[in-house]
Amino acid sequence: MPSIFNANPESGQSWRLMAALLTVYIVWGTTYFALDLGMQTLPPLLMNGTRFLVAGLVMLAIARWQGLPWPTRQEWQASALIGGLMVFAAMGLVMLAQRLGIGSGLMATVVTTMPMWLALWTRWGGEKVPLTSWVGLVLGAGGALLLALEGDFSTTLLGTLCAFGAPLAWSIGSYASRRLKLPAPAMASGAQWLLGGLMGTVAALVLEPATRQFSLSQVSTTSALAWLYLLVAGTLVTLNAYLWLLKNTSAALAGSYSFVNPVVALAVGVGLGGESLTGWVFVALPLIGLALALILYGRDLVAWLQRLRPGRTVSP
């Protein structure tokens, strides 16, 4: 999935990278809270499917307004694969896992495996992943695990399988978006979201009894605003930022949101939900900070160490 941002990765405009990262870190960290509010009166699968269905229609309208041509048959097929993996499978599996009894702590921990899967596919595809990035990914996952210790780690076998399937599907879709032939950014996003949203909406009608009995009159104002926030901020803005990162930076850095988001979610929970902090937070935050430093500046650190010891070679 590409994005609507037309950034040149060779331009040296690091502010675009930082803006995209901060957007993904902060906004997706707040979507945990928005999802809880939305699911108060909206069926989960229907909420997810319609969110992407509408987002896809909006992006397709933008693409046509920009004068972009419709995707070719090959591009529609690639868009269906990526949208099916990221929009339908990954997000649907997260909701299904929660419905099948997986605890919030375990779910938050499992999600942190996504950037490791993505880095693995990237490495198998011939792109080099520095050792410092691997170390950073492991430290970031460890920090997120510590943050999740206060959550619920209950589980069921089927729930666990769904939980591990979600980041796996998301990572494969993310990698495919780096390699497959796709139309222009806005058109590609619209096609993928539309097709993934259609799959999700059909699945809701078939698998979710609450969807078949759904009425707009049952939706509270809070849930409606949460759905709108997920549509605009969580999808149209932030998913495009993430997709731009996939095209313009390393897989490890693009996937680092998965262990930063819990920090933001915790801050939102403390500020808006009245949650309290535990001692684990003060261990987890330095670990996550070190993880980000290694992913962002690992190569520079290795080069600095090599300058300190010119007689030794330090592998990145």
Side-chain angles (χ1 to χ4, degrees), residues 94-143:
V94 168
M95 294 182 176
L96 187 58
Q98 293 174 322
R99 295 286 291 271
L100 290 170
I102 190 170
S104 60
L106 184 57
M107 189 72 245
T109 303
V110 170
V111 168
T112 64
T113 65
M114 194 287 299
M116 298 181 195
W117 285 116
L118 180 55
L120 181 61
W121 310 143
T122 300
R123 183 66 187 90
W124 282 355
E127 301 176 48
K128 184 177 180 181
V129 179
L131 177 60
T132 49
S133 292
W134 286 112
V135 174
L137 291 173
V138 172
L139 289 176

Side-chain angles (χ1 to χ4, degrees), residues 130-241:
L131 177 60
T132 49
S133 292
W134 286 112
V135 174
L137 291 173
V138 172
L139 289 176
L145 173 61
L146 292 177
L147 279 182
L149 282 177
E150 60 183 306
D152 179 8
F153 276 79
S154 61
T155 186
T156 62
L157 176 59
L158 188 55
T160 300
L161 291 175
C162 290
F164 276 94
L168 182 59
W170 184 269
S171 68
I172 295 173
S174 295
Y175 179 67
S177 72
R178 293 164 62 96
R179 303 301 295 259
L180 294 180
K181 183 180 183 300
L182 295 168
M187 184 62 73
S189 293
Q192 292 155 26
W193 298 350
L194 176 68
L195 295 173
L198 278 173
M199 295 177 200
T201 303
V202 170
L205 290 169
V206 173
L207 302 174
E208 199 166 47
T211 294
R212 295 192 292 272
Q213 303 165 2
F214 176 75
S215 170
L216 282 176
S217 61
Q218 75 186 53
V219 182
S220 68
T221 301
T222 299
S223 291
L225 290 175
W227 182 89
L228 186 62
Y229 176 79
L230 290 168
L231 168 67
V232 177
T235 305
L236 291 172
V237 175
T238 307
L239 187 50
N240 269 313

Side-chain angles (χ1 to χ4, degrees), residues 18-30 237-243 245 254 256-258 260-261 264:
M18 295 308 299
L21 279 173
L22 286 175
T23 299
V24 174
Y25 288 169
I26 295 172
V27 176
W28 274 356
T30 64
V237 175
T238 307
L239 187 50
N240 269 313
Y242 171 68
L243 301 171
L245 287 169
S256 63
Y257 75 88
S258 69
V260 178
N261 286 168
V264 178

Side-chain angles (χ1 to χ4, degrees), residues 59-115:
M59 287 304 301
L60 288 176
I62 292 174
R64 294 299 294 166
W65 176 74
Q66 292 176 346
L68 299 176
W70 290 106
T72 64
R73 180 176 180 179
Q74 180 184 6
E75 291 167 345
W76 275 116
Q77 291 173 341
S79 297
L81 174 64
I82 297 169
L85 285 167
M86 297 182 71
V87 172
F88 171 60
M91 297 191 176
L93 284 171
V94 168
M95 294 182 176
L96 187 58
Q98 293 174 322
R99 295 286 291 271
L100 290 170
I102 190 170
S104 60
L106 184 57
M107 189 72 245
T109 303
V110 170
V111 168
T112 64
T113 65
M114 194 287 299

Side-chain angles (χ1 to χ4, degrees), residues 150 266 269-270 274-278 281:
E150 60 183 306
L266 179 67
V270 171
E275 299 176 8
S276 58
L277 297 178
T278 67
V281 172

